Amino acid sequence: EAGVTQFPSHSVIEKGQTVTLRCDPISGHDNLYWYRRVMGKEIKFLLHFVKESKQDESGMPNNRFLAERTGGTYSTLKVQPAELEDSGVYFCASSRGIKSTDTQYFGPGTRLTVL
Amino acid sequence: AQKITQTQPGMFVQEKEAVTLDCTYDTSDQSYGLFWYKQPSSGEMIFLIYQGSYDEQNATEGRYSLNFQKARKSANLVISASQLGDSAMYFCALRWGGFKTIFGAGTRLFVKA
């Protein structure tokens, strides 16, 4: 079974530009999550999809961030326009269910650097 | 409010020895899960072990075991017979209310040859 994949692995952009991150969850996992780890800080929840619906987007920092999951398969996270403080590692995770017992499997992350 | 704490920013261990990474948590929920993830230098987050709040036995997965002390609200990770490849960042995570998850600050483990 293939794991969670993310693309790109690294992205370096200038302030004001747009970047789109992609996440492909494990096949059959309805639940998809985005997290972010800013340098030196803790991993923070951004949002959660159940299939194509946003279940919780309370962690999204501001309206420059837009996440989509069309068709309930892969998801994209767009940052527009990017700011310096957006730099960090963006992780995607997926799980089959949403019980506290359900393991979230993480992708390798996308390291975003905004110059 | 839920909280999770890893008090050891860095740990050293000699190869082949055991090491314990500390994790304490706080939650008012009765049903929750505790997870440990390993993040090697390559950056990916690798799931290691899980403990449910209602599990009476401590979880074990190969060389990893979770020392779960519910009354103390601690869920320490024990790695037996450390290997050089165990050098990595380790995160403890608390999951409750279904999908809500918070992570500790992480502990960087260095295994010495």
Side-chain angles (χ1 to χ4, degrees), chain A residues 65-102:
Chain A
F65 289 75
L66 175 65
E68 295 180 323
R69 193 183 181 195
T70 307
T73 54
Y74 71 90
S75 173
T76 58
L77 179 64
K78 180 190 285 188
V79 185
Q80 180 183 29
E83 297 289 343
L84 299 178
E85 64 264 24
D86 300 333
S87 295
V89 181
Y90 289 76
F91 289 102
C92 174
S94 72
S95 69
R96 191 172 297 278
I98 61 166
K99 293 182 294 184
S100 299
T101 54
D102 286 305

Side-chain angles (χ1 to χ4, degrees), chain A residues 33 35 37 41-45 48 55-56 89 91 95 97-109, chain B residues 4 31-33 35 37 39 42-45 47 50 52 89 91 95-105:
Chain A
Y33 315 80
Y35 293 87
R37 186 177 189 219
K41 297 195 175 177
E42 286 149 12
I43 301 168
K44 294 285 191 184
F45 167 81
H48 168 219
Q55 184 76 11
D56 182 348
V89 181
F91 289 102
S95 69
I98 61 166
K99 293 182 294 184
S100 299
T101 54
D102 286 305
T103 299
Q104 294 181 31
Y105 295 93
F106 282 75
Chain B
I4 192 154
S31 178
Y32 53 89
F35 299 79
Y37 291 89
Q39 187 183 41
S42 51
E44 72 269 33
M45 294 276 282
F47 165 70
Y50 157 80
M89 194 79 168
F91 292 97
R95 188 165 183 190
W96 79 99
F99 62 88
K100 299 180 191 295
T101 304
I102 55 172
F103 289 81

Side-chain angles (χ1 to χ4, degrees), chain B:
Chain B
Q2 279 71 17
K3 187 176 179 182
I4 192 154
T5 304
Q6 292 180 255
T7 57
Q8 306 154 314
M11 289 278 289
F12 285 88
V13 65
Q14 195 67 40
E15 192 180 10
K16 299 180 185 176
E17 291 186 350
V19 63
T20 298
L21 306 184
D22 295 341
C23 174
T24 58
Y25 63 94
D26 194 14
T27 177
S28 55
D29 281 46
Q30 297 301 308
S31 178
Y32 53 89
L34 294 150
F35 299 79
W36 278 91
Y37 291 89
K38 173 184 177 181
Q39 187 183 41
S41 56
S42 51
E44 72 269 33
M45 294 276 282
I46 302 167
F47 165 70
L48 294 178
I49 195 167
Y50 157 80
Q51 179 85 40
S53 58
Y54 293 118
D55 294 341
E56 294 184 354
Q57 303 267 1
N58 284 344
T60 59
E61 287 286 348
R63 294 186 300 110
Y64 303 109
S65 61
L66 203 153
N67 184 0
F68 182 47
Q69 298 188 40
K70 195 170 181 177
R72 292 186 173 184
K73 294 189 175 179
S74 73
N76 298 338
L77 176 70
V78 180
I79 305 175
S80 63
S82 298
Q83 301 172 355
L84 295 178
D86 294 334
S87 293
M89 194 79 168
Y90 289 81
F91 292 97
C92 180
L94 169 68
R95 188 165 183 190
W96 79 99
F99 62 88
K100 299 180 191 295
T101 304
I102 55 172
F103 289 81
T107 296
R108 186 167 293 281
L109 179 66
F110 300 91
V111 181
K112 300 182 290 184

